[in-house]
């Protein structure tokens, strides 16, 4: 029964309790996700099957997050009003936060310990791309429109990174004549892709591979066709290789998932000053769902990015 | 004897909220508990016993008056190890096992790991909780929880014990063990303030009592002072009924009044205690 000191305090204790309590629901959620992924057959059109499996990566990670938050808030009696044994703990913890800070730290570490391997393992099992790639934001001009032969649009890239692909998903207007619009990509007067890229419908994603090279800007020039193209913000991306492997990307995802719990538990600690356990538990579940499913936090985009092989930093 | 606990005009009023009126939980009272004394706090539910103990433990800020425990205000961090408070309610973190719970308390109280483990082992053995092993506290019976709560209160070897219903829910064996431990603490110079509804135990162990009713002190003092009467009892052995009658007549001739002649019997608590001392015995008869 001799535990090292780190296990005996509120942080270590919460860490152990969260691992112990979350193990069963996480295992169940994992099995459900694995079975559901095998059973489901998403309808994909030139899409990535990994991105379609995002919900099955979400489920176990969400269960870990909710379980760790609920476990921490329930185990520590000062987290809510009228909890059993609150007087005992309140006497021992005379700090302004009553030990809640250490408890939150323990819960977050436990979540990271569980969700890290889960994110790495599930990411690989659900066919997330082997190599995470870095996406660079490009700056478009005021009128990013191609609407006639010879018109062009120049995009700038901050920092002159090494780019090996350009992804585009322009919106198309009604054609003014026959034929799809053909576009060439050039930088400093040299063509980056040997063949023109053709667009005939709105929202079609084109991934154009180029020779890896440092780029500070590139120009799209319409060479043929009659479909006007509008490049809305975030519809053109420069893509380059990332320096770190995919498992590091999954680990980043686990960190982002932990961040959502940090926000949840901080708000819960404030709510708990004036509510009992039932209200607090409801609040924790709502906060987590709003961030994970309701898209108010960074986690939903991060999950999708990992499954698409986009480097999160 | 040094004064371990002192309260002067201590009063606690819970503020009203909305249409709820303020509640005077404790009317101004003075209290002194010397080292080596065990004082029982008696009173019906809602009489202010727990409020008094919480105020002395530094968990309830007094509305007026002053409190000192071991010469310091009760909410001082330095007192956490020297003064233990066993609350009436359930234990915190019921998912832990008994050794885990005591290890947590030891760490929070600043004990070295080895010392904490040694004391926990002794207390669990003494309070007969070793059989619980790694079972979580939430599976414990009420009595086991009470015994573990006392172990938690004793883990730092405190000088002052503030105990709220320490024997509630305990079986007679458990009660006897707790009483024995409390007596030892007092003999070692500790001071104990104990709220209880078990009058027999209070009578047996406490040197003084404080009787509360609706937050006010209704009676206080040593048991000798409070319970003494002018009656005298004579317990005899070896006389038959005729002999007893003659003795009664003799008492009358001397100006006394015979209130009753009865065959006194022991109380169940004593029977259980004897049982506890000789558990190997298969038969327990009357005391000879």
């Amino acid at each position: 029964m001799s535990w090292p000191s780190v296990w005996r305090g509120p942080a270590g204790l919460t860490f152990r309790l969260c691992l112990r309590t979350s193990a069963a629901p996480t295992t169940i959620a994992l099995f459900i996700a694995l079975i559901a992924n095998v059973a489901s057959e998403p309808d994909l059109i030139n899409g990535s099957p990994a991105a379609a499996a995002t919900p099955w990566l979400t489920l176990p990670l969400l269960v870990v997050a909710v379980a760790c938050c609920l476990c921490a808030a329930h185990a520590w009696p000062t987290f809510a009003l009228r909890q059993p044994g609150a007087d005992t703990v309140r006497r021992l913890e005379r700090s302004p936060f009553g030990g809640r800070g250490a408890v939150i730290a323990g819960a977050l570490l436990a979540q990271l310990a569980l969700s890290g391997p889960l994110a790495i393992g599930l990411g690989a099992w659900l066919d997330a791309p082997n190599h995470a790639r870095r996406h660079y934001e490009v700056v478009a001009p005021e009128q990013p429109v191609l609407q006639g032969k010879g018109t062009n649009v120049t995009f700038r890239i901050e920092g002159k990174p090494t780019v090996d692909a350009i992804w585009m998903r322009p919106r198309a207007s009604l054609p003014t004549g026959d034929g799809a619009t053909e576009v060439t990509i050039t930088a400093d007067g040299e063509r980056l892709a040997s063949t023109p890229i053709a667009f005939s419908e709105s929202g079609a994603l084109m991934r154009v591979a180029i020779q890896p090279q440092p780029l500070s800007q590139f120009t799209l020039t319409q060479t043929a066709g009659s479909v006007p193209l509008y490049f809305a913000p975030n519809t053109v991306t420069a893509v380059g290789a990332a320096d770190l492997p995919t498992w590091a990307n999954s680990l980043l995802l686990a960190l982002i998932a932990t961040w959502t719990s940090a926000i949840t538990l901080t708000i819960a600690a404030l709510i708990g000053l004036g509510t009992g356990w039932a209200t607090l538990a409801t609040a924790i579940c709502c906060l987590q769902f709003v961030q994970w499913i309701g898209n108010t936090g960074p986690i939903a985009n991060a999950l999708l990015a990992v499954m698409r092989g986009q480097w999160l930093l | 004897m040094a004064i371990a606990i002192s309260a002067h005009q201590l009063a606690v009023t819970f503020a009203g909220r909305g249409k709820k009126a303020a509640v005077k939980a404790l009317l101004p009272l003075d209290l002194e508990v010397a080292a080596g004394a065990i004082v029982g706090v008696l009173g019906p539910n809602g009489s202010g016993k727990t409020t008094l103990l919480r105020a002395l433990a530094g968990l309830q800020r007094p509305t007026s008056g002053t409190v000192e425990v071991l010469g310091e205000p009760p909410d001082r961090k330095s007192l956490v190890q020297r003064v233990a408070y066993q609350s009436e309610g359930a234990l915190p973190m019921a998912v832990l096992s008994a050794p885990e719970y005591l290890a947590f308390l030891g760490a929070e109280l600043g004990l070295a790991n080895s010392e904490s483990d040694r004391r926990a082992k002794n207390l669990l053995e003494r309070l007969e909780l070793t059989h619980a092993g790694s079972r979580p506290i939430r599976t414990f019976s009420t009595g086991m929880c009470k015994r573990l709560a006392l172990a938690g209160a004793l883990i730092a070897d405190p000088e002052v014990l503030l105990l709220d219903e320490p024997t509630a829910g305990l079986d007679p064996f458990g009660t006897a063990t707790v009483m024995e431990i409390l007596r030892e603490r007092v003999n070692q110079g500790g001071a104990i303030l104990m709220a209880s509804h078990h009058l027999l135990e209070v009578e047996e162990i406490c040197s003084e009592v404080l009787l509360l009713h609706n937050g006010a002190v209704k009676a206080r003092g040593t048991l000798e002072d409070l319970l003494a009467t002018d009656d005298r009892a004579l317990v005899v052995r070896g006389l038959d009924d005729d002999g007893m009658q003659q003795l009664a007549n003799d008492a009358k001739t001397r100006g006394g009044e015979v209130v009753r002649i009865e065959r006194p019997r022991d109380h169940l608590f004593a029977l259980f205690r004897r049982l506890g001392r000789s558990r190997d015995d298969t038969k327990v008869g009357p005391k000879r």
Side-chain angles (χ1 to χ4, degrees), chain A residues 144-168:
Chain A
V145 179
L146 297 178
Q147 50 186 354
K149 193 175 172 186
T151 55
N152 61 64
V153 178
T154 300
F155 296 90
R156 284 186 297 108
I157 309 173
E158 298 291 339
K160 206 175 183 181
T162 301
V163 174
D164 59 17
I166 291 168
W167 294 6
M168 292 171 282

Side-chain angles (χ1 to χ4, degrees), chain A residues 1-11 13-14 16-17 20-21 71-72 74-78 81-95 98-99 102-103 274, chain B residues 50 54 57-59 74-77 79-81 83-85 87 89-97 99-101 103-105 107-109 112-114 116-118 120-121 124 162:
Chain A
M1 86 174 192
S2 190
W3 298 281
S5 299
V6 71
W7 293 120
R8 296 173 185 240
L13 207 58
T14 311
R16 280 194 291 149
L17 286 179
R20 204 188 293 173
T21 312
C71 173
H74 187 253
W76 197 245
T78 59
L81 296 179
R82 297 179 293 278
Q83 284 287 84
D87 271 353
T88 306
V89 169
R90 202 171 290 126
R91 261 199 102 230
L92 299 173
E93 290 286 346
R94 294 280 170 85
S95 62
V103 169
Chain B
T50 299
R54 292 186 82 242
L59 289 164
D75 56 354
R76 284 280 167 83
K77 182 82 177 165
L79 284 182
V80 170
Q81 208 180 66
V83 179
Y85 170 61
S87 66
L91 292 167
M93 289 174 283
V95 284
L96 300 179
S97 66
E100 282 177 320
Y101 176 66
F104 161 68
L105 290 182
E108 287 289 285
L109 290 164
N113 291 350
S114 55
S116 172
D117 290 346
R118 189 186 63 78
K121 187 169 176 286
L124 290 175
L162 304 167

Side-chain angles (χ1 to χ4, degrees), chain B residues 47-244:
Chain B
S47 58
K49 301 187 297 292
T50 299
T51 306
L52 172 63
L53 288 173
R54 292 186 82 242
L56 296 175
L59 289 164
Q60 176 66 53
R61 195 182 291 274
T63 313
S64 64
T66 56
V67 179
E68 280 193 351
V69 182
L70 298 172
E72 293 189 69
D75 56 354
R76 284 280 167 83
K77 182 82 177 165
S78 56
L79 284 182
V80 170
Q81 208 180 66
R82 299 173 69 196
V83 179
Y85 170 61
Q86 180 192 331
S87 66
E88 185 193 359
L91 292 167
M93 289 174 283
V95 284
L96 300 179
S97 66
E100 282 177 320
Y101 176 66
L102 293 181
F104 161 68
L105 290 182
E108 287 289 285
L109 290 164
L111 300 179
N113 291 350
S114 55
E115 180 63 11
S116 172
D117 290 346
R118 189 186 63 78
R119 289 186 192 182
K121 187 169 176 286
N122 290 343
L123 284 165
L124 290 175
E125 276 172 11
R126 183 80 194 274
L127 289 157
E128 296 180 24
L129 286 167
T130 39
H131 70 278
S134 58
R135 271 172 55 194
I137 297 169
R138 65 182 141 83
T139 65
F140 283 17
S141 67
T142 311
M144 289 169 78
C145 285
K146 276 287 171 189
R147 280 182 274 155
L148 182 58
L150 183 67
L154 294 172
I155 189 87
D157 200 14
E159 295 160 58
V160 174
L161 278 171
L162 304 167
L163 307 175
D164 201 350
E165 305 281 356
T167 56
L170 282 181
D171 61 35
F173 294 129
T175 304
T177 307
V178 169
M179 294 285 134
E180 202 175 292
I181 289 172
L182 297 186
R183 252 187 232 106
E184 285 172 14
R185 306 295 304 180
V186 170
N187 291 338
Q188 289 162 9
I192 299 175
L193 191 71
M194 171 179 125
S196 180
H197 288 298
H198 294 199
L199 304 182
L200 203 61
E201 291 153 22
V202 172
E203 200 176 326
E204 185 177 323
I205 196 171
C206 294
S207 49
E208 288 176 56
V209 294
L210 185 74
L211 194 61
L212 292 175
H213 187 73
N214 285 340
V217 178
K218 292 295 178 190
R220 69 192 312 164
T222 62
L223 287 166
E224 284 74 22
D225 292 341
L226 291 173
L227 303 180
T229 65
D230 291 334
D231 295 348
R232 297 288 183 273
L234 177 69
V235 179
V236 295
R237 187 181 288 165
L239 283 184
D240 57 13
D241 288 349
D242 289 344
M244 284 300 295

Side-chain angles (χ1 to χ4, degrees), chain A residues 3 21 52-53 55 57-58 64 77 103 111 116 156 173-174 179 186 204 212 214 219 240 263 273 281 299 301 308:
Chain A
W3 298 281
T21 312
L57 177 61
T58 307
V64 171
V103 169
Q111 185 185 335
R156 284 186 297 108
S173 296
L174 289 173
T186 55
T219 302
I263 293 169
L273 294 174
I299 187 67
N301 288 336
R308 283 176 174 166

